[in-house]
Amino acid sequence: MPRSTPPDSGPEEDFIARLLSRKKRLLVNRSSQFQDSGFPNAEHLAETVTFAPQDGFIWLCGQRMMLLQGSAFGAMRRELIKSMGKDKARGLLTRLGWQAGARDAAQVAEQWPEGDHAALYSAGPRLHMLEGMVNVEAVRFEIDNSIGHFYSEFLWHNSLEADEHLATYGLSDEAVCWMSIGYASGYASSLSGRLIVFRELECCGCGQAACRIVGKPANQWDDVSAELAYLDAEAFLSESNHPMPEDDGLLASEYEVDLSAEMVGGSSGFIAARQLLEKVAPTQATVLLTGESGVGKEFFAQTLHQHSRRSDRPWVALNCANLPENLVEAELFGVERGAFTGAERSRPGRFERADGGTLFLDEIGSLSASAQSKILRALQEGEFERVGGNTSIKVDVRVIAATHVDLRAEVAAGRFREDLFYRLNVYPIHLPPLRERREDIQPLMSYFLRRFTQRYEKSIPGFTTRLVNVLLTHTFPGNIRELQNLIERGVITCDEGEAMDVKHITLGNKESFLTPTGLTASGRLQPAAVAETVASAAVPDAELGRDELFGAETALDNLRAFVSGQRRELGTTLEDVETMLIRLALEKSDGNITAAAQMLGMSRAQVSYRIKSQK
Ligand SMILES: [Zn+2]
């Protein structure tokens, strides 16, 4: 039967058709056996295991994992069977396994986009082994996507689930490795984009020497209604596979969908903040955003504005810390001509320009007492005077304020007006630092990689496992902004088509990144150490200290802000900009001064002189 034949309508075909429409597809064009070579291999997968015991994290392929006693799993399995009956418990465990398998497949496809097709499929059984569920022996393993062929037959030894079942119930008259079967089906289906059903034909739980399992596309089995029932296709699809919602509701769904699409993150702290944002966006409430520098307060504020009823009105932002004290009030409320020397024309302030829209006041904690009282009045009465003026101006402005300092402490210290604090603190949203939302690091890495490869028109396939491990355990004092800078720098430094590695983001800085505790291919833990590639990437003639590196980063940021018009002054010396460019060139040339000089259109002597003059 040709594969293009549309399926008959029916619940099974519907299920298959919906699975087929999933975004992630993988085409496998050649037939291959389950093998130990290929990319990614067992060693590559083992390298993705990272332990961060000091933070309470275990990672595998960028996913947070947990170590749980097999016996605790066995006890839960027993309780499920007892309380909900065998069939329901079997369905639940099958779906749990499916979830695990589908997630692993999605991560593997994301991490090795250039991976060998057969190896990507083989990664499923390997991860299943790494996660401690079974020992897989391949009997037959055939894939040929050109004719839609998929057939695999494995033997499972040491099945954890069978052992637990035997320990509780003794020999069973039917196969019992439910979660494992769910895993195999979920992995293969997610990777191929069509429903692959695995079935256990023999099982240790029934007294056989090994579990024998066979996987085929659903339409090649005689009858998969039992399997589909355990997968509970309809409920399963609607709850766990995140199909795009049918968008006929006009109210909440419209902007919620947009928010989750725009905002990257799935950690509990981030989701809590995002939900607060979703709730307050359509209201008129004043919002106070708190959190360390670099956590994305301005991005949150902008998103809030875009999803408010004022989205088609002005968005005006002011960083109160960037202005000299005597200019803050003029900037906020405007100036009447002749108010002070240099005020040759009258001009409106940010409050006036934001009329009808949203005014974002960043670093509100740094305002002077006089500016604080004027803002309080503007908030309370919606009116103010320009500097040097005596006519009241009425505006309708929604204020979003942000601060990285503890305003309550500032109030207690007498530096911040208590009444203004309560006026602003109507709806506080705290944004957690990146080190408290580590689950979001890898999605953010991928997001910034897409963004910067587009901006710099470069093709970079992804990250090395080592870089992912290093960043998953980095402390990120500069938060998301630091991560963003690192990925941008990596995109600039990386060669076309090369995977981004630790050396691309360090610029020769030796000490700031540690290789975390991880697994060797033989399963032994290796302790944390200074990332080895960092040392090898060090620039021999121009080793950089930590301070110098931070100087270069600031120079790059300032230059970018200046060019884009966000800064009125460059705020950095031309020398620093030059130093930064020389460092980038040296990094790209692996410390070869002649090659770096060529990149910059300078002579070797010029570059050499500048390196020496920095010491
Ligand atoms: Zn079994």
Side-chain angles (χ1 to χ4, degrees):
M1 187 176 81
R3 279 179 305 125
S4 55
T5 303
D8 303 321
S9 58
E12 291 167 27
E13 284 75 15
D14 198 23
F15 178 46
I16 294 163
R18 291 181 71 175
L19 266 178
L20 271 170
S21 69
R22 286 163 56 92
K23 268 192 288 175
K24 210 165 267 293
R25 292 281 177 86
L26 191 89
L27 300 177
V28 173
N29 293 313
R30 65 192 176 89
S31 164
S32 173
Q33 294 293 312
F34 181 63
Q35 56 196 352
D36 281 332
S37 60
F39 176 75
N41 64 23
E43 195 176 339
H44 296 129
L45 295 168
E47 279 172 358
T48 69
V49 180
T50 303
F51 286 84
Q54 69 282 8
D55 297 327
F57 283 106
I58 303 170
W59 304 97
L60 183 146
C61 274
Q63 309 169 96
R64 185 173 181 178
M65 308 294 287
M66 65 175 180
L67 282 178
L68 177 76
Q69 296 87 344
S71 56
F73 167 74
M76 188 202 65
R77 191 175 181 278
R78 192 169 62 237
E79 273 203 42
L80 288 177
I81 294 172
K82 198 174 157 194
S83 62
M84 54 201 318
K86 200 182 74 183
D87 269 2
K88 279 193 172 157
R90 178 175 178 172
L92 199 144
L93 289 167
T94 308
R95 292 194 294 281
L96 175 63
W98 174 290
Q99 286 287 343
R103 276 157 209 250
D104 277 356
Q107 286 300 118
V108 162
E110 168 110 21
Q111 195 147 347
W112 290 282
E114 312 288 308
D116 179 89
H117 293 134
L120 289 176
Y121 275 100
S122 307
R126 289 209 178 92
L127 286 170
H128 207 186
M129 289 164 73
L130 196 54
E131 289 163 17
M133 292 299 294
V134 285
N135 178 17
V136 185
E137 180 191 338
V139 178
R140 275 174 73 193
F141 185 57
E142 304 164 359
I143 318 161
D144 188 339
N145 218 57
S146 62
I147 54 165
H149 179 65
F150 181 98
Y151 181 89
S152 54
E153 188 173 339
F154 299 126
L155 292 181
W156 283 346
H157 307 281
N158 309 335
S159 162
L160 173 93
E161 223 172 340
D163 281 355
E164 290 300 328
H165 191 94
L166 282 168
T168 311
Y169 301 101
L171 282 183
S172 161
D173 50 9
E174 56 183 7
V176 298
C177 301
W178 306 327
M179 191 162 99
S180 286
I181 281 292
Y183 182 94
S185 304
Y187 188 91
S189 301
S190 174
L191 202 57
S192 62
R194 59 186 176 148
L195 184 61
I196 308 273
V197 168
F198 275 82
R199 189 174 282 177
E200 202 174 8
L201 304 178
E202 294 169 16
C203 180
C204 296
C206 309
Q208 271 122 355
C211 307
R212 187 164 69 86
I213 65 158
V214 168
K216 293 193 284 189
N219 54 6
Q220 287 171 27
W221 289 102
D222 290 340
D223 176 14
V224 289
S225 53
E227 277 87 358
L228 288 182
Y230 290 125
L231 286 175
D232 195 14
E234 275 311 305
F236 163 74
L237 271 174
S238 60
E239 281 167 27
S240 355
N241 252 3
H242 303 299
M244 289 305 286
E246 322 286 334
D247 200 42
D248 47 7
L250 289 171
L251 297 170
S253 68
E254 196 178 352
Y255 86 91
E256 269 176 31
V257 168
D258 283 352
L259 273 190
S260 53
E262 282 164 37
M263 306 186 85
V264 182
S267 62
S268 53
F270 174 78
I271 288 176
R274 199 190 73 199
Q275 286 177 346
L276 288 173
L277 184 69
E278 286 169 354
K279 281 212 181 84
V280 80
T283 73
Q284 299 297 331
T286 303
V287 175
L288 179 63
L289 298 168
T290 58
E292 293 176 11
S293 293
V295 292
K297 295 189 287 285
E298 177 155 11
F299 174 73
F300 252 73
Q302 249 169 346
T303 310
L304 201 164
H305 171 72
Q306 281 155 14
H307 294 278
S308 73
R309 290 181 199 145
R310 297 168 176 256
S311 58
D312 55 345
R313 307 303 307 274
W315 156 261
V316 176
L318 178 69
N319 187 330
C320 305
N322 273 0
L323 286 169
E325 202 184 310
N326 57 343
L327 283 184
V328 170
E329 287 182 38
E331 208 45 62
L332 281 170
F333 303 107
V335 187
E336 284 300 348
R337 184 181 166 184
F340 50 78
T341 325
E344 287 154 15
R345 295 184 286 131
S346 298
R347 60 181 169 84
R350 308 277 169 131
F351 263 96
E352 267 181 89
R353 279 154 55 193
D355 193 14
T358 309
L359 175 61
F360 175 59
L361 298 175
D362 203 358
E363 298 306 351
I364 190 113
S366 61
L367 284 177
S368 68
S370 128
Q372 286 179 31
S373 57
K374 280 198 161 187
I375 286 188
L376 180 66
R377 183 169 159 239
L379 284 175
Q380 277 172 340
E381 291 155 34
E383 60 179 47
F384 56 86
E385 287 97 37
R386 287 178 175 175
V387 175
N390 41 30
T391 327
S392 275
I393 297 170
K394 271 201 171 296
V395 288
D396 164 29
V397 169
R398 181 185 194 183
V399 168
I400 304 174
T403 177
H404 76 280
V405 298
D406 181 357
L407 281 187
R408 276 179 205 278
E410 292 296 294
V411 169
R415 287 189 293 266
F416 201 83
R417 288 184 69 120
E418 192 174 13
D419 42 10
L420 179 58
F421 170 70
Y422 285 113
R423 197 83 207 176
L424 295 172
N425 199 38
V426 176
Y427 196 90
I429 302 181
H430 179 70
L431 308 185
L434 190 51
R435 64 181 174 280
E436 286 173 18
R437 41 179 293 216
R438 291 189 185 278
E439 298 96 314
D440 296 337
I441 291 176
Q442 212 180 6
L444 283 165
M445 287 170 69
S446 303
Y447 169 77
F448 289 131
L449 182 70
R450 277 195 299 277
R451 193 161 118 192
F452 291 122
T453 45
Q454 249 169 25
R455 181 183 296 175
Y456 294 103
E457 295 179 349
K458 257 188 172 178
S459 144
I460 293 167
F463 307 100
T464 64
T465 303
R466 181 164 34 205
L467 177 60
V468 174
N469 288 348
V470 160
L471 291 184
L472 278 176
T473 46
H474 182 52
T475 51
F476 287 105
N479 290 300
I480 295 177
R481 188 176 143 86
E482 179 186 357
L483 177 63
Q484 177 181 336
N485 288 348
L486 289 174
I487 303 300
E488 180 169 14
R489 182 192 297 161
V491 169
I492 295 170
T493 323
C494 238
D495 283 328
E496 190 73 25
E498 189 184 13
M500 193 184 295
D501 190 23
V502 182
K503 66 179 179 191
H504 296 120
I505 62 164
T506 55
L507 290 182
N509 183 30
K510 270 189 184 179
E511 270 147 322
S512 54
F513 298 102
L514 290 179
T515 298
T517 308
L519 273 195
T520 63
S522 61
R524 203 168 41 82
L525 274 183
Q526 55 188 7
V530 173
E532 55 205 285
T533 41
V534 181
S536 67
V539 181
D541 280 351
E543 286 190 358
L544 310 172
R546 194 185 176 82
D547 293 345
E548 287 167 311
L549 178 83
F550 275 68
E553 195 170 287
T554 313
L556 188 65
D557 288 344
N558 289 353
L559 179 62
R560 191 182 305 121
F562 180 67
V563 171
S564 69
Q566 285 173 329
R567 282 182 77 99
R568 266 189 261 167
E569 289 157 28
L570 180 53
T572 199
T573 64
L574 284 178
E575 218 173 294
D576 282 345
V577 174
E578 195 181 87
T579 304
M580 173 208 63
L581 289 173
I582 288 173
R583 273 171 199 165
L584 276 178
L586 281 168
E587 175 64 29
K588 279 179 86 94
S589 70
D590 283 330
N592 183 322
I593 298 179
T594 312
Q598 260 169 8
M599 289 177 206
L600 296 167
M602 295 166 78
S603 73
R604 189 188 189 284
Q606 281 175 317
V607 173
S608 188
Y609 172 78
R610 278 173 176 73
I611 293 169
K612 290 201 182 94
S613 65
Q614 280 165 29
K615 287 193 166 176

